[in-house]
Amino acid sequence: MSAAKLRRRAQRDTFGNSFGVLLALAGSAVGLGNLWRFPYLVGQNGGAAFIILYLIFVALLGIPLMLSEFIIGRRSRANARGAFRTLAPGTRWDLTGFIAVLCCTLILSFYSVVGGWGIEYFYKALRFDFTMGLTGDLSTLFSGFTASTWRPLVCHTLFMLATGLIVAYGVKNGIERFSKVMMPLLFIIMIGIAVRSLTLDGAGAGIDYLFRPDWSKVTSHTVLDALGQAFFSLSLGSGMVITYASYVKAEANITKICINTAVADTVFALIAGCAIMPAVFAFAISPGEGPGLVFITLPYIFSQLPLGGVIALLFFLALLLAALTSSISILEVVVAFAIEELKLKRKTAVWLCMSFIWLLGCLCSLSLGRFGSELSLFGRSLFDLFDAISANVLMPLNAMLVVIFLGWKMGRGVIADELTNNGANNPPAWYTKSLYIIIRWLAPAAILAIALFQWLG
Ligand code: PFF
């Protein structure tokens, strides 16, 4: 390797320690996917059966995939595209990295719009709009707000600026420091809300709904939704793990970090489920409300509870923090690409990427309102389209390419080297062997089968 290349690598930012890496990764994983997407998908897909499929996907595909991305990122020490260029020079595998960058661009554009809704609702909660005696229709309030032109745009802009500001500070001083403080706070708030919800009269029906499966509700859609949600929630197939892993020191135990991240994310999704569904059932509301669930149903519930105003405030604070620790990771994928591939300074890269994604986000937001018919394709608003394309197409596609790359192009030796930190630690042989089989055979076959099943069905 040339001296210049070595120097450039040495100058790359790194995470401070393994705990910081874990919190940053968990910060990325835990987000609107857990608090906004997971509850409404559970509601639309019939409850426990969806959750069980989701858990199977996390354990069987999610963790091996996260490890695969981790191996590629730490070994190459490069951004999502550079990683493939470094490990397989002269090939077109770098297209996989392009897909990841495109995917993150699309995700952040609609994610930031929802983050903006979080700002609006946090502001409403600060004014104690959701306290007892609330009058007016919350569904009309929500659809009126999201379909209006200016207010959601202002909130989206604020959310994007906050994201850009943290990323501009860099990996250790921005992303790691923010995640270290906010993640524990987030867990504490959500556990408090779940306890309140679980102790409501009539909460039992919600618990049944979450944990007693009704398999007759499962369709091919449910399966793909569960897979898409597992990828979305663990931030897989988006180049995020590759990018973060490229900042991780050589001695970190990657198996431990990946399993802990997946467990933290899953526990958090279940806590969110326990915070939301028991309350939904206690107030006899339909769980299949769709994307409006946390913005319509929950405020209604808060308005019926003693001290509901305070709970609303804490909930929307949690939502905002969770959204921010994820949005910074999505932006970092695009920014790292711009810094290393387009040779830009971090601050310039942040401004450029942020402005472009902000613009796309504005279109997403406007597609939900007055410009709905102009800003729609294939009968879907741009907002819905970006969500569906990223979670159900680009993420699984990218994830499949990642495991094929690692299992077939890199091979067993590279996987073993990284899992053992080049021989420094000694995981049991069955572990490395079965992981290799999952990465080489099972994961690509499963992703392909589910995708075909959905597209042909
Ligand atoms: N995992 C995040 C969530 O559940 O909200 C979303 C996400 C973050 C997707 C980072 C992709 C990504 F690269």
Side-chain angles (χ1 to χ4, degrees):
M1 196 179 294
S2 71
K5 220 170 185 179
L6 277 174
R7 211 172 321 118
R8 217 174 321 121
R9 278 196 184 184
Q11 281 166 358
R12 283 184 106 242
D13 213 345
T14 55
F15 283 112
N17 56 30
S18 290
F19 188 57
V21 180
L22 173 65
L23 287 186
L25 273 171
S28 168
V30 171
L32 293 172
N34 307 59
L35 281 172
W36 165 67
R37 221 169 171 275
F38 181 75
Y40 90 70
L41 282 176
V42 170
Q44 282 180 334
N45 286 294
F50 175 85
I51 297 186
I52 293 173
L53 283 172
Y54 172 79
L55 293 178
I56 294 174
F57 286 141
V58 167
L60 268 184
L61 292 178
I63 295 175
L65 253 158
M66 193 184 282
L67 278 162
S68 304
E69 292 199 18
F70 214 109
I71 290 173
I72 293 173
R74 191 174 67 168
R75 198 167 177 90
S76 62
R77 301 226 165 276
N79 66 88
R81 182 206 172 206
F84 291 93
R85 216 168 20 81
T86 311
L87 297 178
T91 66
R92 291 318 336 233
W93 276 103
D94 64 335
L95 282 178
T96 313
F98 277 123
I99 297 177
V101 174
L102 170 70
C103 182
C104 284
T105 306
L106 295 186
I107 294 177
L108 189 52
S109 59
F110 76 82
Y111 204 87
S112 170
V113 172
V114 184
W117 300 349
I119 294 185
E120 167 76 8
Y121 273 67
F122 178 62
Y123 174 68
K124 283 189 193 307
L126 262 183
R127 293 189 336 189
F128 284 96
D129 278 5
F130 305 124
T131 35
M132 291 286 241
L134 168 86
T135 50
D137 177 359
L138 282 160
S139 169
T140 318
L141 183 79
F142 176 69
S143 48
F145 163 67
T146 53
S148 62
T149 303
W150 292 109
R151 233 182 139 84
L153 285 185
V154 172
C155 295
H156 156 58
T157 308
L158 289 175
F159 187 84
M160 204 67 209
L161 281 173
T163 305
L165 198 69
I166 301 167
V167 174
Y169 273 98
V171 176
K172 192 149 135 201
N173 293 329
I175 295 173
E176 183 174 353
R177 199 188 288 169
F178 186 76
S179 307
K180 263 185 174 163
V181 179
M182 296 310 166
M183 287 310 290
L185 183 65
L186 188 60
F187 265 88
I188 293 170
I189 295 176
M190 283 311 291
I191 288 174
I193 298 177
V195 170
R196 180 69 194 96
S197 178
L198 288 166
T199 48
L200 287 170
D201 277 346
I207 300 172
D208 265 5
Y209 186 74
L210 282 174
F211 298 109
R212 189 168 299 161
D214 173 0
W215 294 104
S216 67
K217 297 255 169 60
V218 173
T219 63
S220 66
H221 247 295
T222 319
V223 180
L224 190 74
D225 269 351
L227 180 75
Q229 175 60 16
F231 285 170
F232 189 85
S233 194
L234 292 174
S235 317
L236 297 174
S238 60
M240 187 288 290
V241 182
I242 295 185
T243 308
Y244 271 17
S246 74
Y247 305 125
V248 172
K249 293 184 176 147
E251 57 280 6
N253 180 335
I254 70 176
T255 302
K256 220 174 182 175
I257 294 177
C258 289
I259 291 181
N260 285 342
T261 304
V263 169
D265 185 59
T266 307
V267 168
F268 194 86
L270 293 176
I271 295 176
C274 289
I276 295 170
M277 285 307 164
V280 164
F281 279 83
F283 286 93
I285 298 170
S286 151
E289 192 79 49
L293 185 68
V294 298
F295 293 103
I296 301 169
T297 312
L298 282 189
Y300 168 74
I301 293 169
F302 296 142
S303 73
Q304 305 301 309
L305 287 174
L307 283 184
V310 178
I311 303 177
L313 191 63
L314 290 174
F315 178 80
F316 286 111
L317 176 65
L319 186 100
L320 256 183
L321 296 181
L324 264 176
T325 52
S326 298
S327 63
I328 54 182
S329 75
I330 312 176
L331 184 59
E332 179 63 22
V333 174
V334 191
V335 164
F337 167 81
I339 294 174
E340 292 170 12
E341 303 297 305
L342 309 178
K343 310 278 175 266
L344 298 177
K345 290 212 175 78
R346 176 167 279 271
K347 294 223 158 59
T348 320
V350 169
W351 271 110
L352 262 181
C353 300
M354 202 173 83
S355 310
F356 180 67
I357 296 172
W358 171 79
L359 207 66
L360 283 182
C362 291
L363 299 180
C364 279
S365 180
L366 294 173
S367 77
L368 296 176
R370 211 155 23 117
F371 299 94
S373 49
E374 289 87 349
L375 295 171
S376 67
L377 263 179
F378 313 117
R380 284 177 183 233
S381 66
L382 223 52
F383 180 99
D384 287 341
L385 198 69
F386 282 9
D387 183 351
I389 292 184
S390 49
N392 291 357
V393 181
L394 294 179
M395 288 176 131
L397 175 67
N398 183 270
M400 191 163 80
L401 291 173
V402 162
V403 276
I404 293 177
F405 177 77
L406 193 64
W408 294 85
K409 176 93 184 142
M410 294 287 100
R412 203 183 199 134
V414 169
I415 299 176
D417 273 359
E418 287 296 321
L419 288 180
T420 59
N421 284 354
N422 291 318
N425 54 24
N426 206 5
W430 65 261
Y431 168 65
T432 6
K433 211 181 229 168
S434 40
L435 195 68
Y436 176 64
I437 293 172
I438 295 180
I439 291 174
R440 194 170 154 98
W441 297 102
L442 195 73
I447 300 171
L448 192 68
I450 295 165
L452 287 179
F453 186 50
Q454 157 78 14
W455 289 328
L456 301 179

